[in-house]
Amino acid sequence: MLDKLKAISDRFEEVGQLLIQPDVASDMKKYKALNKEYKDLDKIVVEYKKYLNLLSNIDSAKQVISTEKDEDFRQMAKEELDMLLPQRDEMEDALKELLIPKDPNDSKDIIMEIRAGAGGDEASIFAGDLYRMYTRFAEKMGWRTELIDATEGTSGGYKEIIVGMQGEDVYGKLKFESGVHRVQRVPATETQGRIHTSVASVVVLPEVEEFDIDLDMNDIRKDLFCSSGPGGQSVNTTYSAVRLTHLPTGLVAQCQDQKSQLKNFDKALAVLRSRIYEQELAKKLEAEGAQRKSMVGGGDRSDKIRTYNYPQGRVTDHRIGYTVYNLPNVMDGGIDDFVEELRIAENAERLKEGATA
């Protein structure tokens, strides 16, 4: 492990020098890639230096124990060693986790798509509840959210809503939210007091930069239509809403949130770019035989991942068997525990893979 950490430290210094070179500063694509690598390596190097200092202190304590004749000094050194050795074990575990190869998309912003599934109006209301849950979580994290497109439900909530989120490690934290979410509760429209089960699907896509994917604008058909829903006087009077179709794949993205056709075009293009990127990435991984069907993050989008049971106040993540009984807090954006437990489970799987590789 020390050899690997030393190599990372050397690379960190090398990247630091590259970043101040004029030819790198003038190449935005190369600069952004190196700057991201520098930030990622910095976290490891900081802990590596702490680890080296700790090892040095352990060696010093052992030296005193083996050479010092004064019993008091030797006793002090033994006490210090007893304190340092558990710290070393903890730090080694932390460093092993830091050395797990990261998903290159973890640091990206995201586009989140929430769609009502089976359950009629109640499913749309639940989709709205999920949207509020994620935006409240984003607020707590200090992220910026941006509505891209929405189709409202007939009794509240949304049949479909697409939102962008920007901040630090957004995809890394929310990528495991993709899947089918199930709610069990008595709907407001239910007169007999019966518990209904409804579902909504969540898709989390990494928002990709222009240079992440080669997109030929000649392959994209642009259609304009009138906005519908809230939006003031310009709704249904100007062709500001934009629908983009990627002809080679048939993928479609649209945006009608902004009054400006240009802004709607940019947002729709960002969604389309992310959908094409995800599709190409899936094909690439499958071709390489590297599509991991992990317990946490490699399942199908149609997999039921979480249940929100209102009568019991219970939320259960079925992938890792993790349950909490504070549903109101979860629906108010308190999904921190799930985010952390899923991250731990994924890291444990990656460590296991590394050990058997």
Side-chain angles (χ1 to χ4, degrees):
M1 186 171 75
L2 278 172
D3 289 343
K4 190 180 284 188
L5 288 167
K6 177 67 169 63
I8 287 172
S9 181
D10 291 344
R11 174 61 181 168
F12 175 72
E13 298 298 329
E14 182 187 354
V15 173
Q17 290 300 312
L18 287 171
L19 282 170
I20 60 175
Q21 301 301 317
D23 61 321
V24 171
S26 61
D27 185 335
M28 187 51 66
K29 181 178 178 180
K30 186 183 289 185
Y31 180 82
K32 286 186 78 171
L34 285 171
N35 193 46
K36 179 185 177 302
E37 183 183 0
Y38 186 81
K39 286 180 179 177
D40 290 341
L41 294 177
D42 182 48
K43 297 172 187 174
I44 301 174
V45 171
V46 167
E47 295 305 313
Y48 171 53
K49 288 177 179 176
K50 290 180 186 175
Y51 180 61
L52 288 180
N53 187 52
L54 183 65
L55 292 182
S56 176
N57 290 339
I58 289 173
D59 288 340
S60 298
K62 287 180 177 178
Q63 183 73 14
V64 170
I65 293 168
S66 62
T67 60
E68 182 58 55
K69 292 177 181 173
D70 187 302
E71 186 57 36
D72 288 340
F73 274 120
R74 293 180 69 220
Q75 186 58 36
M76 286 171 61
K78 284 178 183 177
E79 290 174 2
E80 184 182 12
L81 190 62
D82 288 342
M83 183 179 66
L84 292 174
L85 289 176
Q87 290 181 22
R88 181 194 63 185
D89 295 341
E90 287 177 17
M91 195 166 281
E92 284 178 353
D93 287 341
L95 282 167
K96 283 176 186 174
E97 191 169 307
L98 282 172
L99 289 173
I100 297 170
K102 284 189 166 47
D103 182 338
N105 289 323
D106 278 357
S107 61
K108 292 184 185 295
D109 298 332
I110 67 162
I111 291 169
M112 176 179 279
E113 306 176 355
I114 304 172
R115 293 182 179 86
D121 290 343
E122 171 64 8
S124 295
I125 292 169
F126 179 51
D129 293 339
L130 289 177
Y131 168 66
R132 182 181 181 277
M133 179 182 81
Y134 289 123
T135 52
R136 290 286 291 130
F137 179 70
E139 284 174 26
K140 293 176 182 178
M141 297 301 298
W143 299 340
R144 190 166 64 88
T145 58
E146 182 181 37
L147 182 64
I148 296 173
D149 196 32
T151 303
E152 295 183 353
T154 53
S155 298
Y158 299 95
K159 291 179 180 176
E160 176 184 82
I161 185 163
I162 302 173
V163 61
M165 294 186 184
Q166 296 89 35
E168 185 177 350
D169 293 334
V170 185
Y171 184 74
K173 287 187 169 64
L174 291 182
K175 62 183 176 182
F176 300 129
E177 296 302 306
S178 287
V180 175
H181 297 242
R182 180 176 70 169
V183 63
Q184 295 172 324
R185 65 186 177 190
V186 179
T189 54
E190 169 59 51
T191 56
Q192 303 296 319
R194 291 173 298 187
I195 295 172
H196 287 227
T197 297
S198 305
V199 298
S201 66
V202 175
V203 176
V204 179
L205 303 171
E207 186 171 352
V208 297
E209 306 282 349
E210 284 183 42
F211 56 75
D212 285 332
I213 184 170
D214 291 324
L215 194 59
D216 187 347
M217 296 307 292
N218 292 321
D219 290 336
I220 296 174
R221 187 181 75 225
K222 174 182 173 183
D223 297 308
L224 303 177
F225 59 100
C226 294
S227 299
S228 60
Q233 295 178 341
S234 62
V235 175
N236 294 323
T237 60
T238 60
Y239 285 85
S240 59
V242 176
R243 182 183 296 112
L244 301 178
T245 304
H246 186 242
L247 300 174
T249 62
L251 291 170
V252 178
Q254 70 177 40
C255 181
Q256 56 179 329
D257 180 56
Q258 301 291 323
K259 293 179 182 179
S260 161
Q261 183 190 123
L262 190 59
K263 287 181 179 178
N264 283 332
F265 175 83
D266 289 341
K267 283 188 176 184
L269 186 61
V271 173
L272 187 64
R273 194 182 290 124
S274 293
R275 288 177 180 169
I276 294 169
Y277 175 81
E278 187 204 31
Q279 189 178 82
E280 289 190 1
L281 184 63
K283 285 180 183 175
K284 179 172 175 284
L285 291 172
E286 193 172 352
E288 292 173 355
Q291 183 79 32
R292 287 189 308 109
K293 292 292 180 184
S294 86
M295 170 180 70
V296 180
D300 193 88
R301 269 191 199 162
S302 60
D303 290 347
K304 180 187 69 182
I305 64 167
R306 196 173 296 153
T307 294
Y308 304 76
N309 186 298
Y310 275 70
Q312 297 175 10
R314 170 177 63 83
V315 184
T316 297
D317 194 290
H318 303 288
R319 295 163 294 183
I320 54 176
Y322 184 72
T323 297
V324 298
Y325 287 89
N326 59 349
L327 187 144
N329 179 59
V330 171
M331 299 311 293
D332 194 39
I335 61 172
D336 315 60
D337 288 350
F338 288 99
V339 169
E340 181 62 13
E341 290 296 327
L342 287 161
R343 185 190 67 81
I344 290 169
E346 174 74 355
N347 282 346
E349 283 192 2
R350 290 194 173 193
L351 276 172
K352 196 188 298 178
E353 284 175 6
T356 56

